[in-house]
Amino acid sequence: MFTAIIRYLELQCNPLRMLYAFRLFAKRYYKLKSSRMLYVFRISTPSSVLSAPRIIPPARVLYELRIFRIMRYSHCKINPARLLYALRIFPILFFHFQCSQLEIEKPNLFLFLFLSASPTSVGVVTSDFASGGRFKTFEPNSFTTFPTSIPIHSDAVGRYSNDRVFIVNRLNRDNIQVLNPQLGFTTEQEFSVGQGKNPQDISVWNDKYFISLYNSDELAIYSRSSGTKVGSISFASLKETFSTSGVPDNSVEASYMVQEGSSLFVLLQRLDRNDASGYLPPNSDSYLVEIDMDLNQIRSVYTLPYRNPSSKIQKINLFGEPHLVFSCVGRVGFLSQIDAGIIAFRLNTRQFHPNRLFAEETAGGDILAFQIKNDELGFAAVLDSKFTKTIQAFRPRTGERLATLLEIPGNIGISLSGLLLTNEGKLLVGSTDFTRPGIYVYDSNLGNVLLNPVPSSVELTPFDIFQLQNLQ
């Protein structure tokens, strides 16, 4: 019996639960002077431990002992000193438990299941850029990070579709992780897409998953129920035929996707992996491929007016009609050139808008990510040739630059990762400052004012931010 009580104290480590258990235990079994109990408890418990969060004060123990009149219960044959020993070691056990949880604290079960998100929460993929990452939920109105802490890959992106969160664990894990929001975002399905395939995006249609693979020449199709591969759509005919090395590679660099009815639009970057520079320049045209998801075949291929599409695809009504909008960066990074920008594809006519919504010439660098609110306001994350990072406001209707919301010099080891404009008009910007990573929140309804000068923590470094709503 006494051993069971010690195990209970060690495993639960909850003071209120301990008191309750002790009251029942004392009421049934023990006889001991409460003054003696308090004395031993005091001399065996360092003051630093007693002052630690959630440790029970001795007076509370004495109170519990007195109100249950332990001296009435004298039929127990177990030595009371054993009980005193349990009380002496309890603070040590609890202190050890607290220290072991400092890195990543596991949430309370009630919080985990019922307080995992609010209706306006967003999903955040975080990473330590080494051993792993975590999926978190963040409420931008209250700057609250909810106690979800789902282990994921250190290189991952997130999507929300069909009332589920899909974590695309990319190169070196190469799998899909499906989280259920109704069960605290616990993992309900996980399956591999093949070692080294480097998945980039996922789309759900009826009983099928369509998965784009960066290191492949096909669009993979998997069963929703079993997570097994059931087919593919070949992109072999769309591989580039030119390389500066004279030997074209075998990948089409399929990246982001978006649905429109029964059509799935897939971006193919078609980069030159064998280029002598080693930086994968876009030496061939990039494509937007339209897939028939019912027939599992290519409907049409559209040549992009600019090369190397690198952003997510935003489906939005602009100028009175629906568009697919994405950013092309052309030559980027160490090969950076002013040669691309944000472009729009008209769904009604299946043609590209004649003008860029925001040109690199105007932005002053490569537009890595963007979010558009309407014809008059959009936001872009820009990287220039000196590696200065900026968040800029622009007007899609005219392509003019309106303001700079945030600027980080290239000689400071801080990057921007993750950009999202919520339905409520909050602009979320992920900051990868390793000393203080977090999310900046701007309000586009109040003149793009910064609401939190210090980025709100999501524990690890934010890498991707996305809506927890069915957008497709």
Side-chain angles (χ1 to χ4, degrees), residues 55 58 78 106 171 224 281 286 313 315 322 339 456:
I55 295 297
I78 298 177
K106 294 182 180 179
L171 188 62
R224 284 185 66 181
S286 300
I313 306 173
K315 186 165 63 174
D339 56 359
S456 300

Side-chain angles (χ1 to χ4, degrees), residues 336-358:
S336 181
Q337 294 181 7
I338 300 297
D339 56 359
I342 300 175
I343 60 177
F345 181 75
R346 302 173 62 186
L347 287 170
N348 290 342
T349 63
R350 297 299 201 259
Q351 294 179 339
F352 287 97
H353 194 274
N355 300 317
R356 286 171 288 178
L357 304 186
F358 195 36

Side-chain angles (χ1 to χ4, degrees), residues 233-239 252 263-270 285-292 297-305 326 345 349-352:
I233 300 172
S234 176
F235 290 147
S237 62
L238 302 178
K239 292 188 294 186
V252 293
S263 289
L264 177 65
F265 290 88
V266 186
L267 289 172
L268 305 185
Q269 295 175 338
R270 301 178 78 234
D285 288 331
S286 300
Y287 294 151
L288 177 66
V289 181
E290 183 177 359
I291 302 294
D292 186 320
Q297 63 184 26
I298 296 175
R299 277 182 174 165
S300 189
V301 178
Y302 309 96
T303 301
L304 273 56
F326 47 92
F345 181 75
T349 63
R350 297 299 201 259
Q351 294 179 339
F352 287 97

Side-chain angles (χ1 to χ4, degrees), residues 120-194:
T120 56
S121 294
V122 300
V124 184
V125 169
T126 68
S127 176
D128 63 8
F129 298 101
S131 61
R134 293 289 187 271
F135 168 76
K136 309 291 291 186
T137 56
F138 175 74
E139 212 297 309
N141 296 308
S142 61
F143 315 119
T144 302
T145 300
F146 289 93
T148 51
S149 190
I150 307 302
I152 58 176
H153 187 38
S154 60
D155 180 13
V157 292
R159 300 289 177 266
Y160 192 92
S161 179
N162 291 71
D163 301 315
R164 294 292 186 272
V165 170
F166 294 86
I167 301 298
V168 182
N169 293 308
R170 301 196 290 193
L171 188 62
N172 295 326
R173 188 161 174 180
D174 304 291
N175 74 6
I176 303 297
Q177 198 171 339
V178 185
L179 312 182
N180 188 339
Q182 303 304 317
L183 296 175
F185 296 96
T186 53
T187 300
E188 68 175 16
Q189 186 182 36
E190 189 168 7
F191 59 93
S192 173
V193 298

Side-chain angles (χ1 to χ4, degrees), residues 190-456:
E190 189 168 7
F191 59 93
S192 173
V193 298
Q195 185 176 4
K197 294 295 186 181
N198 196 2
Q200 297 293 297
D201 206 350
I202 185 170
S203 190
V204 183
W205 181 253
N206 296 332
D207 60 345
K208 296 179 286 189
Y209 293 139
F210 290 85
I211 302 172
S212 59
L213 307 173
Y214 205 73
N215 295 339
S216 179
D217 62 356
E218 67 177 18
L219 180 67
I221 306 173
Y222 282 74
S223 166
R224 284 185 66 181
S225 58
S226 65
T228 57
K229 189 174 181 180
V230 295
S232 64
I233 300 172
S234 176
F235 290 147
S237 62
L238 302 178
K239 292 188 294 186
E240 61 265 30
T241 58
F242 170 78
S243 171
T244 56
S245 67
V247 182
D249 62 80
N250 293 319
S251 299
V252 293
E253 290 79 39
S255 57
Y256 294 112
M257 308 187 293
V258 70
Q259 290 183 16
E260 172 61 21
S262 62
S263 289
L264 177 65
F265 290 88
V266 186
L267 289 172
L268 305 185
Q269 295 175 338
R270 301 178 78 234
L271 306 179
D272 188 353
R273 299 189 179 204
N274 295 332
D275 185 82
S277 69
Y279 290 118
L280 282 73
N283 292 327
S284 301
D285 288 331
S286 300
Y287 294 151
L288 177 66
V289 181
E290 183 177 359
I291 302 294
D292 186 320
M293 293 186 290
D294 289 323
L295 301 178
N296 298 342
Q297 63 184 26
I298 296 175
R299 277 182 174 165
S300 189
V301 178
Y302 309 96
T303 301
L304 273 56
Y306 299 91
R307 295 176 175 179
N308 197 5
S310 296
S311 73
K312 297 178 183 178
I313 306 173
Q314 184 177 1
K315 186 165 63 174
I316 186 173
N317 284 328
L318 289 174
F319 322 123
E321 59 179 311
H323 286 77
L324 302 181
V325 184
F326 47 92
S327 175
C328 296
V329 295
R331 292 177 179 267
V332 65
F334 291 102
L335 300 176
S336 181
Q337 294 181 7
I338 300 297
D339 56 359
I342 300 175
I343 60 177
F345 181 75
R346 302 173 62 186
L347 287 170
N348 290 342
T349 63
R350 297 299 201 259
Q351 294 179 339
F352 287 97
H353 194 274
N355 300 317
R356 286 171 288 178
L357 304 186
F358 195 36
E360 287 188 356
E361 291 88 345
T362 305
D366 297 304
I367 303 171
L368 304 181
F370 73 94
Q371 288 283 274
I372 292 178
K373 184 175 184 178
N374 50 41
D375 295 2
E376 302 299 322
L377 182 60
F379 303 94
V382 181
L383 177 70
D384 70 14
S385 59
K386 297 181 180 179
F387 296 96
T388 298
K389 285 78 67 175
T390 55
I391 299 295
Q392 302 177 17
F394 69 97
R395 180 171 286 119
R397 180 174 57 83
T398 61
E400 63 184 301
R401 178 173 172 173
L402 300 177
T404 298
L405 279 61
L406 178 64
E407 181 172 343
I408 300 174
N411 60 352
I412 297 179
I414 300 175
S415 296
L416 302 175
S417 185
L419 186 70
L420 176 67
L421 182 66
T422 69
N423 294 336
E424 295 75 31
K426 299 296 194 316
L427 178 69
L428 311 184
V429 181
S431 171
T432 62
D433 182 351
F434 287 99
T435 61
R436 194 170 57 190
I439 296 177
Y440 289 107
V441 181
Y442 297 81
D443 195 332
S444 67
N445 300 317
L446 298 174
N448 305 325
V449 61
L450 177 62
L451 301 180
N452 58 338
V454 176
S456 300

Side-chain angles (χ1 to χ4, degrees), residues 86-103:
L87 284 176
R88 288 201 301 266
I89 68 171
F90 171 74
I92 300 173
L93 293 172
F94 186 69
F95 184 74
H96 172 75
F97 177 83
Q98 286 288 91
C99 290
S100 68
Q101 299 301 306
L102 290 179
E103 182 178 357

